[in-house]
Amino acid sequence: MTKNEVDEISLKAFTHIFIEAQKSNRRFCFILGAGASREANILTGVEMAKIWVDEIEEKYDKDEIESLMKKLKIESIEPNSKNYFGIYDLRFYPDYQYGHAYFERELEKGSPSIGHHTLAKILAGETHNLVITTNFDSLLEDALFIYTNKHPLVVGHESLTEFINLNIKRPIVAKVHRSLYFRPFNREKETDGLAEGWKETLKNAFMVYTPIVVGYSGGDRSLMKFLQDKNTKMNGLYWCYWNKEEPSEEILSLVKSKNGCLVPIEGFDEMMFTLSSELSFKNPEDEMRKVTQERIEKYNSRYEEFEKKIRQKTKNVSTANNQIDDTIRVIDKVNLLLLEESERVCAEQKTAKNYMSKGKINYRIGRYVEAIEDYTEAIKLKPDYAEAYNNRGYTYGSMEKYDKAIEDYTEAIRLKPDYANAYNNRGCAYDSMEKYDKAIEDYTEAIRL
């Protein structure tokens, strides 16, 4: 089928049809693909596919690529809309968590474009309030909040389709491949068909709304397959395509079968700005400045209120702190007196217990080197002194000498196998060294004991 066999109108003519629909209460919904996010600084599927093919060729030898393509049932890695899902399968094989992480990074780069402003205003107008999209991004939800202060009903999982009520006036964003944080569908086997919940919901939607397709190339076999189904009835169809690329034969056949119409556009932003002009939408600059200023004033008011309270509390705390400082000074004096007494006792009676006590006091006042000397002396006098090994290990840990700390805790455990505190302390040392598996083993044994 050629383009000449399908009805086509200009963007100008389409805009007039849209304005006329406003007067006759005819309702439109929007079907958005990756092309609608391109001008918001998010790569299209084909652009991503081109990057992935380069990475695949860098990652694998030619023979390995052919072997994996055969294994994954991928016919071609020519970067286009049709091959996008197979290329994704190959690029992130065998761990697709990296694919999800890739999308998180890429989608964070985007911010609503001028086209999203217009679409948000249209959705907030309550008549044309439904968007169906294969995209994972939150550009539209962000635009609705920024430009209209409206919160849409976002349906990002097939199990939530029952909550879509076509009679409500709130904006509805239906994500047929799921939202970013609901393990979105992006593999070939995941996009081979539309979930049953979506089929029923969209069939009902197309009885109410006439779909306008923007930025969608039909590369998946889920939404596209559903649109092609002869049982999917529509009140017309407007398929907006980028005028620098010819629509595929598949798209031409679909538009023809649904008595639809092609609309050539230069891009999502250009199309939406044309609609914006006809709908007399104003530049949101003044409104955004006003809303932002109100938020700043509200924040500053609360900030000053809390700052005043904190200053008052600080005065009270200052008095309390003086009292605490006095108490600490008394404790320091007591510790020094205890240390003097402990040194005298150790000089008279060189026992492991006395050196252990002296080590504890030195540790308390931050004299770690002296504490280690005391614990070492206690161990010399009593080689099976598990508690001395544990305390010396703890002191090494405070000095960030974790290897030595672990040696002492291990010896303490050898001498006293049911020593829960030593297991806990060794777990802490492993934790500090980021040896998390070993830390968990020790914590678990400490809990068991």
Side-chain angles (χ1 to χ4, degrees):
M1 180 175 288
T2 65
K3 201 171 75 167
N4 293 333
E5 298 175 64
V6 183
D7 290 334
E8 180 171 301
I9 59 173
S10 66
L11 177 57
K12 181 180 179 182
F14 168 78
T15 304
H16 280 279
I17 290 171
F18 191 90
I19 300 302
E20 286 175 352
Q22 293 279 89
K23 300 170 185 174
S24 61
N25 292 323
R26 184 180 178 187
R27 302 182 75 180
F28 290 105
C29 69
F30 295 86
I31 297 177
L32 301 185
S37 300
R38 181 66 191 90
E39 289 159 298
N41 201 35
I42 293 177
L43 298 176
T44 65
V46 173
E47 287 170 331
M48 289 184 187
K50 287 177 181 176
I51 294 169
W52 295 338
V53 168
D54 289 340
E55 291 172 343
I56 289 166
E57 291 174 347
E58 186 179 332
K59 184 178 179 182
Y60 298 113
D61 294 331
K62 187 177 179 182
D63 291 346
E64 195 173 3
I65 292 174
E66 290 175 0
S67 175
L68 283 172
M69 285 176 65
K70 188 175 180 181
K71 179 177 182 176
L72 298 172
K73 298 179 181 177
I74 298 168
E75 294 179 3
S76 169
I77 56 171
E78 178 68 27
N80 57 41
S81 175
K82 183 181 177 182
N83 297 332
Y84 165 84
F85 295 99
I87 294 170
Y88 173 88
D89 275 0
L90 181 54
R91 166 61 183 87
F92 295 104
Y93 173 86
D95 191 345
Y96 295 98
Q97 288 185 13
Y98 292 111
H100 186 253
Y102 177 91
F103 278 107
E104 283 196 32
R105 290 194 304 272
E106 284 302 312
L107 298 189
E108 282 178 358
K109 298 175 184 176
S111 59
S113 67
I114 191 170
H116 289 98
H117 163 253
T118 299
L119 185 52
K121 297 287 280 187
I122 290 171
L123 293 171
E126 300 178 355
T127 303
H128 318 296
N129 64 324
L130 173 64
V131 167
I132 301 155
T133 181
T134 55
N135 299 341
F136 314 142
D137 62 62
S138 59
L139 293 171
L140 199 45
E141 300 97 288
D142 293 345
L144 279 159
F145 178 72
I146 293 167
Y147 298 122
T148 71
N149 209 24
K150 289 243 178 146
H151 297 277
L153 170 62
V154 180
V155 184
H157 194 281
E158 60 275 12
S159 63
L160 304 174
T161 54
E162 63 181 282
F163 296 102
I164 296 178
N165 180 352
L166 300 175
N167 294 317
I168 67 169
K169 295 182 178 181
R170 179 179 294 280
I172 303 170
V173 181
K175 301 192 176 189
V176 295
H177 287 173
R178 298 185 175 178
S179 293
L180 179 62
Y181 301 109
F182 285 107
R183 198 177 63 79
F185 292 150
N186 206 51
R187 297 187 61 194
E188 197 150 24
K189 67 179 183 180
E190 295 171 336
T191 56
D192 191 43
L194 206 59
E196 289 302 319
W198 281 122
K199 287 181 183 179
E200 190 63 30
T201 299
L202 296 186
K203 278 181 182 178
N204 293 334
F206 293 149
M207 292 174 67
V208 178
Y209 301 90
T210 299
I212 300 168
V213 181
V214 191
Y216 176 60
S217 57
D220 66 305
R221 305 308 307 155
S222 52
L223 180 59
M224 188 63 176
K225 199 172 178 181
F226 171 76
L227 295 175
Q228 291 171 321
D229 193 325
K230 63 181 180 180
N231 294 317
T232 302
K233 307 297 181 186
M234 296 181 187
N235 295 315
L237 170 66
Y238 292 92
W239 195 291
C240 303
Y241 71 95
W242 194 25
N243 58 12
K244 293 181 182 178
E245 292 182 358
E246 291 292 307
S248 67
E249 188 172 335
E250 197 174 27
I251 290 172
L252 295 175
S253 298
L254 168 61
V255 175
K256 180 78 172 176
S257 69
K258 303 299 180 184
N259 297 316
C261 213
L262 294 171
V263 183
I265 61 173
E266 290 184 19
F268 174 69
D269 279 1
E270 179 254 0
M271 173 196 171
M272 287 296 164
F273 185 75
T274 303
L275 278 176
S276 173
S277 301
E278 292 298 325
L279 291 166
S280 301
F281 289 161
K282 295 178 182 178
N283 187 321
E285 182 181 358
D286 291 339
E287 186 181 344
M288 287 176 68
R289 286 184 189 280
K290 182 184 174 186
V291 170
T292 302
Q293 188 58 40
E294 286 174 355
R295 285 177 181 160
I296 290 170
E297 288 173 3
K298 184 177 180 181
Y299 179 87
N300 283 340
S301 174
R302 294 293 282 168
Y303 185 92
E304 288 169 7
E305 180 184 331
F306 286 122
E307 193 177 38
K308 211 175 280 183
K309 287 181 179 178
I310 288 167
R311 277 199 299 268
Q312 184 57 47
K313 285 181 180 178
T314 302
K315 288 179 183 177
N316 298 336
V317 169
S318 180
T319 303
N321 281 342
N322 289 336
Q323 293 172 349
I324 291 168
D325 288 342
D326 290 342
T327 305
I328 289 170
R329 279 192 286 272
V330 170
I331 291 170
D332 287 343
K333 286 180 181 177
V334 170
N335 278 326
L336 288 171
L337 288 170
L338 285 172
L339 183 60
E340 286 178 15
E341 178 63 17
S342 185
E343 287 173 345
R344 185 186 63 77
V345 170
C346 284
E348 292 177 1
Q349 300 177 35
K350 295 183 182 295
T351 66
K353 185 176 179 182
N354 287 340
Y355 277 104
M356 181 76 159
S357 299
K358 183 164 167 275
K360 288 179 180 179
I361 297 167
N362 271 320
Y363 180 85
R364 280 205 303 269
I365 61 177
R367 295 173 51 164
Y368 297 146
V369 174
E370 290 82 356
I372 285 171
E373 289 173 356
D374 290 333
Y375 295 135
T376 302
E377 192 61 32
I379 290 166
K380 284 179 183 176
L381 293 167
K382 187 181 178 183
D384 62 346
Y385 203 168
E387 287 78 5
Y389 277 106
N390 180 64
N391 284 20
R392 190 173 70 176
Y394 197 84
T395 309
Y396 277 132
S398 299
M399 298 169 74
E400 298 185 0
K401 296 181 178 181
Y402 300 120
D403 287 333
K404 288 190 173 184
I406 286 169
E407 284 179 19
D408 277 351
Y409 294 139
T410 302
E411 183 61 17
I413 291 166
R414 188 189 70 78
L415 293 167
K416 191 177 177 182
D418 61 348
Y419 201 170
N421 195 25
Y423 275 107
N424 178 69
N425 290 341
R426 191 172 69 176
C428 290
Y430 280 132
D431 193 353
S432 298
M433 297 173 76
E434 298 184 359
K435 295 183 178 180
Y436 301 123
D437 289 341
K438 289 189 174 183
I440 287 169
E441 284 180 20
D442 277 350
Y443 292 144
T444 303
E445 184 60 16
I447 292 165
R448 188 188 70 78
L449 291 166

